[in-house]
Amino acid sequence: MTKKQKLLSKKIYDVAICGAGPVGLSMAYLLGRAGLKVGIFEKRKNTTILPKGQYVHASTGEFFRQWGVWDLLKSSGWALEKSNGQGFYVNIAKGPVAEVRATSGSEKEYQEKWWDLSPAYPRKIPASDYEAALKKQAEKWSTVEFFFNHSIVEINNLTKHVEFIVKDSKSGSTEEINSKYLIACDGAHSFIRSQIGGGQDHGPTFGNQILVEFKASLSSTLGNDGFFHSFILDPRYSGWFGSQHPETGLWRYSFRHDEETLPDLDLLHDRIRGALGMPELSIEIIKLHRFDYSTGLLRKWQEKNIFFAGDSAHWNSPWGGFGMNSGVQDANNLAWKLDLVIKEIASPELLNTYQIERRSKALLTVKSATYNSLNYQAIIAAVLIGEPNLYSKGELSQEGKEFLQQRVDIHSDNSVLHTGYQLGTVYLSDAIIADDGSPPIPSLPNYLETTIPGVRAPHVWLSNTLGKKYSLIDLLGKYFVLIVQTNHSKWNDATRTILDTLKLPIKNINIGVGQDYLPYDDKYEKIYNSYCSEAILIRPDGFIAKRFASNSSNNIEELLLDALYKILHKFNFH
């Protein structure tokens, strides 16, 4: 065993995490950064090697920038020219009959397009890469202990803490572990959920899927088209091809397969060649994976001192790339709350806001993924009607092509672009102090930039006294942050008092002439000064908690203290 895998002698943690996927690793990083003692238990021998979960949303990229993960992924993933949107084919050899692109320009142009909305932009990165990067960053914290090849097999006590049994799959030995809190990040087939979950609401299932990794010479055909997913219309070979893996050089083909036995190699070769329309192509099957997709939400995301996050709390089809991204958002929401509760800075009642805030987004997520999957199936079923040449000649009529393209154009906002989903999350809970502004209604395709409490703090560019350019997003994440626009000295005095009174980590970002930062362009004035705020309070997860209007009171210290006590649910402070 490595040093990281040795059990602590006391076997007691502030937080134990079940599952070392992207959600569990994100949680471990955030809690370790806060100085909490964390044990993370994973039944696999290491982070994933599976070719799945490749779509990293801009909002997730923002967190990865804050955590140092983004820098580790600079050379990872697919260039946009090899991962640009979706193509639709009768078979690959005949070329696409419809398409939707994320952009018509270069990757640099795509990145610059997003830079007005976010310092990050959506990228296609293998899960193996970003899980390894998350693990590397979490390992920097000495209080985080990793236990791979360890499964949680029994939960015994939920009274004031959590007692559970872990099994070492190598030695077969078991040990009892104690923790103040346990977070289930163990996926759609969560063991923790099966043991203590308080009921589930199910949606449709999408059957079993086979994913084949194979070698073939396709750079001048499938590779030249540059789609990230290439869908096959011919029902005999229906499924999709994925871009060539940037590191292994393997291609991917996935299709539905509900039989209990796995398909044999002859069937796989015939099916892949049929979908390609290349009956003589040499193919070498490398790996075969099986997945199943269903939809559902857990009704209660907290059972005493156990919380559920990611796919253990909400699970859905992969259409839209929502799963990992939504789960990382769960971790970013829960971690700071656990930190402050464990350190007794906040009341345990603050933890009740986790489900209130995140379940709303999860509901949108599972509904959207279900809609995307079933809508795609409906589009294809409608296209195939009255197309006899599709089967006999591999051809789609002009009417069929036009019908398909029109429907795909509408479909693309929800399944490919969805800027509103990525950046437009809105929280409404007791950890947000509303004012007279009306929160925007969450929308998949549309994102409205505003500073109304409950929204993600909008990205703007700032420059420091040396002229260096920063995104406001990069200055957030570890503490409560107060953006101060006027009366800087009074607000600075107030935050010093907060540090003494609450022991709450909080820092000021002073903006204005003679201050730490200046707006880089006029966007700051349009977004952050539109409400005439003296100061704006942002939570550690990057969401706006309160706006302090100009000249609202001379007693700034009392105003700020009152707001923080409400957010932290310490109602008996007077």
Side-chain angles (χ1 to χ4, degrees):
M1 282 190 179
T2 66
K3 180 181 177 182
K4 285 286 181 182
Q5 290 177 308
K6 291 179 181 177
L7 288 170
L8 292 178
S9 58
K10 291 185 178 180
K11 305 169 190 172
I12 296 174
Y13 300 94
D14 292 316
V15 180
I17 300 169
C18 181
V23 182
L25 292 167
S26 296
M27 194 76 72
Y29 171 82
L30 291 167
L31 296 173
R33 184 181 67 181
L36 298 180
K37 187 181 296 183
V38 178
I40 181 166
F41 301 88
E42 170 57 56
K43 64 183 179 181
R44 300 170 301 172
K45 64 181 180 180
N46 211 325
T47 52
T48 191
I49 58 171
L50 296 177
K52 62 173 185 174
Q54 295 104 352
Y55 194 9
V56 179
H57 289 178
S59 52
T60 305
E62 290 176 352
F63 298 148
F64 286 0
R65 281 173 65 99
Q66 294 171 0
W67 306 345
V69 171
W70 206 237
D71 287 340
L72 298 177
L73 298 173
K74 281 183 178 178
S75 60
S76 296
W78 288 263
L80 185 68
E81 288 76 14
K82 299 294 183 181
S83 61
N84 191 352
Q86 301 169 348
F88 296 80
Y89 302 74
V90 176
N91 62 55
I92 299 300
K94 290 185 174 293
V97 293
E99 64 179 51
V100 55
R101 299 283 190 178
T103 180
S104 59
S106 67
E107 180 157 0
K108 183 179 180 181
E109 290 170 326
Y110 184 59
Q111 185 176 2
E112 290 172 349
K113 172 185 173 182
W114 274 87
W115 270 3
D116 189 48
L117 298 174
S118 171
Y121 66 104
R123 290 174 57 195
K124 304 297 195 305
I125 301 173
S128 54
D129 288 8
Y130 60 67
E131 283 195 16
L134 282 166
K135 178 173 176 279
K136 182 175 182 178
Q137 292 303 93
E139 285 177 327
K140 289 184 175 181
W141 314 122
S142 61
T143 57
V144 176
E145 298 281 336
F146 283 87
F147 304 99
F148 287 96
N149 295 305
H150 281 72
S151 299
I152 295 179
V153 295
E154 187 177 332
I155 300 171
N156 292 329
N157 191 333
L158 297 177
T159 309
K160 292 184 179 180
H161 55 278
V162 184
E163 296 176 1
F164 56 94
I165 305 296
V166 296
K167 182 177 181 179
D168 185 334
S169 62
K170 286 187 174 181
S171 67
S173 63
T174 60
E175 297 193 52
E176 183 177 275
I177 308 294
N178 295 346
S179 65
K180 294 177 183 177
Y181 293 92
L182 171 63
I183 307 175
C185 303
D186 51 341
H189 300 286
S190 168
F191 169 79
I192 307 297
R193 187 179 72 220
S194 70
Q195 297 299 298
I196 63 167
Q200 305 169 21
D201 294 311
H202 289 280
T205 60
F206 297 95
N208 293 309
Q209 302 285 324
I210 296 294
L211 192 148
V212 187
E213 292 184 280
F214 66 97
K215 288 183 179 180
S217 180
L218 295 171
S219 58
S220 62
T221 52
L222 182 59
N224 194 54
D225 291 337
F227 299 108
F228 189 66
H229 285 122
S230 300
F231 296 96
I232 305 302
L233 301 178
D234 190 328
R236 294 171 296 177
Y237 312 113
S238 60
W240 56 264
F241 288 96
S243 296
Q244 187 177 26
H245 195 285
E247 296 166 10
T248 66
L250 299 179
W251 296 93
R252 293 164 294 140
Y253 174 61
S254 182
F255 62 95
R256 183 161 179 170
H257 181 83
D258 289 327
E259 290 81 358
E260 290 195 13
T261 57
L262 293 175
D264 60 33
L265 288 179
D266 288 341
L267 186 150
L268 291 175
H269 280 94
D270 290 345
R271 178 147 193 155
I272 293 172
R273 289 184 178 120
L276 291 169
M278 305 173 191
E280 305 301 322
L281 183 69
S282 175
I283 294 172
E284 181 184 356
I285 305 295
I286 303 299
K287 292 181 182 178
L288 190 65
H289 310 278
R290 185 171 191 160
F291 304 97
D292 64 342
Y293 300 121
S294 58
T295 300
L297 291 95
L298 188 60
R299 291 175 186 165
K300 291 178 62 181
W301 291 23
Q302 178 182 1
E303 297 288 348
K304 295 188 177 178
N305 282 23
I306 296 181
F307 289 89
F308 297 86
D311 287 351
S312 71
H314 47 90
W315 52 100
N316 50 267
S317 84
W319 197 297
F322 299 131
M324 177 278 292
N325 295 282
S326 181
V328 171
Q329 295 272 349
D330 291 346
N332 196 55
N333 183 284
L334 179 57
W336 71 270
K337 297 173 182 178
L338 276 172
D339 172 37
L340 297 184
V341 169
I342 289 171
K343 293 175 180 175
E344 299 184 346
I345 296 172
S347 165
E349 293 178 357
L350 174 63
L351 298 174
N352 296 336
T353 66
Y354 165 61
Q355 175 171 336
I356 293 170
E357 293 181 349
R358 287 305 303 161
R359 193 179 188 280
S360 176
K361 186 70 172 189
L363 192 61
L364 176 64
T365 299
V366 297
K367 286 180 182 292
S368 300
T370 302
Y371 170 84
N372 286 342
S373 297
L374 295 180
N375 194 38
Y376 165 74
Q377 293 177 26
I379 290 172
I380 300 306
V383 168
L384 297 181
I385 296 173
E387 296 286 345
N389 287 342
L390 186 144
Y391 304 95
S392 61
K393 300 180 181 179
E395 297 176 354
L396 189 66
S397 69
Q398 186 60 34
E399 293 85 354
K401 293 178 182 178
E402 291 172 355
F403 179 91
L404 175 60
Q405 187 64 61
Q406 290 168 4
R407 271 67 193 172
V408 166
D409 287 341
I410 298 171
H411 189 47
S412 66
D413 282 345
N414 294 329
S415 63
V416 177
L417 305 176
H418 49 60
T419 309
Y421 178 90
Q422 296 193 34
L423 303 177
T425 300
V426 179
Y427 292 155
L428 302 174
S429 77
D430 291 338
I432 299 292
I433 301 177
D435 53 36
D436 55 1
S438 298
I441 297 174
S443 165
L444 259 69
N446 301 314
Y447 169 52
L448 174 64
E449 291 186 292
T450 175
T451 61
I452 291 172
V455 305
R456 157 193 169 273
H459 153 73
V460 290
W461 291 109
L462 305 171
S463 60
N464 68 4
T465 54
L466 299 176
K468 185 176 180 180
K469 186 177 177 183
Y470 290 87
S471 168
L472 173 64
I473 300 293
D474 292 335
L475 304 177
L476 307 178
K478 191 174 182 180
Y479 311 100
F480 273 87
V481 165
L482 198 66
I483 298 178
V484 183
Q485 304 183 110
T486 59
N487 279 334
H488 298 90
S489 61
K490 289 186 178 181
W491 285 102
N492 292 341
D493 290 342
T495 53
R496 280 191 287 269
T497 301
I498 297 300
L499 284 170
D500 293 336
T501 305
L502 281 177
K503 308 302 179 186
L504 176 72
I506 183 170
K507 71 173 183 178
N508 287 9
I509 297 177
N510 296 305
I511 298 177
V513 177
Q515 302 301 322
D516 299 330
Y517 298 95
L518 285 171
Y520 186 80
D521 52 35
D522 62 357
K523 181 182 176 182
Y524 179 86
E525 298 296 327
K526 293 177 182 177
I527 302 296
Y528 282 87
N529 271 346
S530 61
Y531 187 71
C532 298
S533 303
E534 271 195 15
I536 297 175
L537 182 63
I538 303 176
R539 307 187 321 186
D541 58 1
F543 281 74
I544 294 175
K546 181 175 173 59
R547 298 185 291 193
F548 297 91
S550 299
N551 302 317
S552 57
S553 171
N554 290 325
N555 196 339
I556 288 175
E557 180 183 305
E558 185 175 332
L559 273 177
L560 181 57
L561 197 59
D562 180 69
L564 286 167
Y565 269 114
K566 288 178 180 177
I567 293 164
L568 301 175
H569 289 64
K570 296 174 78 75
F571 299 114
N572 58 344
F573 69 99
H574 286 300

